[in-house]
Amino acid sequence: MAGLRIEDAELHTLLVQRLEILDEGEFERARKMATRLRIPLERAVIERGRVPVNFILTHVAEMWGVGFVDLRVSDVKPEALALLTEEYARQHMLLPFDVDGDRLHVAMWNPRDRQAIDEIERTTRHRVVPYLAPEAAILRGHLLYRGNLREMLERAIADESLTLVQQQSAVAQRSTAELLTRILEYAAVARASDIHIEPYELEAIVRYRIDGALHEVLNLPPPMLTPLVAHIKIVSRLRIDERRAPQDGRFEADLGGYKMDMRVSSLPTMWGEKIVMRVLSRESLVIDLEDLGLVARDYEIVLRNLLRPFGMVLITGPTGSGKTTSLYSMLVRLGIERQSVVNISTIEDPIEYTLPRVNQMAVNPGAGVEFATGLRALLRQDPDIIMVGEIRDRETAEIAVRAALVGRLLISTLHTNDATGVVPRLLDMGIEPFLVASTLALALAQRLVRRICVRCRESVTPDPALVRSLHARPDFDRTLEVLRSEGILGSGTDPLGGLQMFRGRGCPQCNGSGFRGRVAVFELFEVDDAVRALIMDRRDASMIRAAAVDQGMKTMFQDGLAKALLGETPLEEVFRVAL
């Protein structure tokens, strides 16, 4: 966070006196760490796992009397970008993103740089409205100076085709590297989570997963696939002579100062090797638990169970449902709430994000380190809190349960269809009912739905077929009770009469899709004494679920419907992911 230059006295006033989230001793320890490591004090506070970065920046901006913007690439208007050169924007770590009459809105890493503001006002003849913005968001926005990345990708393909014809290996290597850079730049600008390079008989296509959906962006001639895959495997430290077996690797991409960690998977197919690259953006490292989309009541339930001295908290959901994000946000919050006096250890496959003050270990089958063996080793490291990336087999489950039984808090993930499905899943793994009843504290099921773009959101009458499906649900009356209790529906005799839903019309900000980002829908199953008795009696899953609902559990569908009524996601998305 170099360059922000928040004075020590300002941070002390903000964190110790105004917000009271640090005491004098904690602040002094952060200050000594900053001096020892020669880093800014605000970074030391963040690195110690005490406060999420956007939390600090929001309050710093308020203290300085400027706005805060967590800048998205789609917020940047070309006419604003054209008013300043890329060289000047990079030199001063800023980005013009909007023009409103004679006012130019500028995202800045140091909005108190009066000299830069005066220079911009002289050269652009606009009055500058400065905003404090995260450094990573500004760096990603700088990629927009490269123009239309889609056109640059297509030009890179044309150049690559010409190079292949010329058969000049050195030039070909440079051209392939340039093509990969363009592919990664497009992913950064589009905020893609995955990049798929897929070979077929007559073509190879490049698709990007954006907000959970795959979008085809490029068609590559088949001869381009082999050198591109070879280059990706080289930078990922994979064997380029092995084309018959799957391989996994990773590399770091530096796109003009904006850095991404890429997790690479290669898979042999009929027409060549398919590559999938998972984009692990470093700007998403610290995610606060409050930002996951939990309503206030559910947030309190999660936090209450995280603060238990022992027990198990399990997250369930399919691949791509945001389980890892939830795990990391829980670890961050645990570090904050427990005042950094606990030993937090993890075993993951792989380590996707590094966290401050957390001991992280990766699964390494080649060295004999699996989840079960790694968990055994962690138990000898005097842990207070353990995070296991996934409970996959009986051995891991047994060790995890016994760890939770002897005074540790254990959080992990499990593959089940809903939250209450955790109980029969653990029993099927061979865990004794008394162990499940004694250790399981909370199961949280989640799915991701696409979020409606707020710039083009509009009210619409819902599809009559969807409304009839709502009425036909066996839990319809219970759903109405839940929504009334949360103040989302009124108390009329026909609460769904004249019901209005929302959709995204499509605009430049969301590339015409009507969606921008994703939000999670949840189902929280908190184990109480009544449920423990059912577990001990080995009651079936339906009876346990019915008991949980009677005790007030809100189902995933009910949480999704509430978010649809509040305009966060369309009703169709809720029916797509929730039972």
Side-chain angles (χ1 to χ4, degrees), residues 495-520:
L496 298 184
L499 184 67
Q500 293 292 302
M501 290 292 181
F502 298 88
R503 72 171 183 183
R505 185 175 58 254
C507 66
Q509 299 297 319
C510 60
N511 295 320
S513 69
F515 299 101
R516 187 177 177 191
R518 290 185 289 177
V519 64

Side-chain angles (χ1 to χ4, degrees), residues 353-374:
Y353 300 120
T354 57
L355 295 175
R357 297 298 177 107
V358 175
N359 305 293
Q360 296 174 266
M361 177 171 63
V363 167
N364 185 355
V369 180
E370 299 284 358
F371 277 119
T373 54

Side-chain angles (χ1 to χ4, degrees), residues 12-192:
H12 183 275
T13 300
L14 176 66
L15 300 177
V16 179
Q17 298 177 7
R18 184 183 302 180
L19 300 178
E20 297 183 352
I21 57 177
L22 293 180
D23 59 28
E24 293 286 353
E26 292 167 337
F27 184 84
E28 182 62 20
R29 285 191 290 273
R31 191 190 63 77
K32 289 180 178 178
M33 174 183 173
T35 302
R36 183 173 67 254
L37 300 181
R38 298 181 181 179
I39 59 175
L41 178 57
E42 65 272 13
R43 181 180 171 189
V45 172
I46 293 165
E47 290 292 335
R48 288 177 62 87
R50 298 296 296 120
V51 189
V53 58
N54 279 10
F55 180 86
I56 286 185
L57 295 184
T58 300
H59 287 281
V60 166
E62 180 182 348
M63 183 172 62
W64 288 351
V66 299
F68 171 78
V69 56
D70 188 7
L71 192 67
R72 293 174 176 263
V73 170
S74 53
D75 294 328
V76 182
K77 295 182 178 178
E79 57 269 27
L81 201 65
L83 292 174
L84 291 176
T85 65
E86 178 182 1
E87 180 183 1
Y88 187 87
R90 288 186 180 276
Q91 180 182 353
H92 293 85
M93 191 55 70
L94 53 83
L95 190 75
F97 66 93
D98 196 9
V99 178
D100 180 15
D102 66 339
R103 299 192 304 171
L104 178 63
H105 299 261
V106 182
M108 307 179 69
W109 184 226
N110 183 10
R112 297 195 298 183
D113 188 346
R114 192 66 242 178
Q115 181 178 353
I117 292 174
D118 291 341
E119 288 179 0
I120 295 171
E121 290 182 336
R122 282 198 308 271
T123 56
T124 65
R125 302 193 178 186
H126 286 72
R127 185 161 59 89
V128 170
V129 181
Y131 292 81
L132 177 61
E135 182 181 20
I138 296 174
L139 288 170
R140 189 180 62 249
H142 287 161
L143 298 175
L144 294 175
Y145 276 108
R146 300 176 185 270
N148 190 322
L149 279 173
R150 180 70 173 268
E151 294 178 0
M152 295 185 73
L153 277 168
E154 292 171 351
R155 286 202 303 272
I157 292 172
D159 294 342
E160 175 76 3
S161 300
L162 179 61
T163 300
L164 290 171
V165 172
Q166 294 173 338
Q167 295 293 314
Q168 296 177 1
S169 58
V171 178
Q173 185 176 0
R174 289 198 303 270
S175 182
T176 303
E178 182 71 13
L179 175 58
L180 177 59
T181 298
R182 295 289 176 260
I183 290 173
L184 297 179
E185 287 175 345
Y186 189 93
V189 168
R191 301 195 79 157

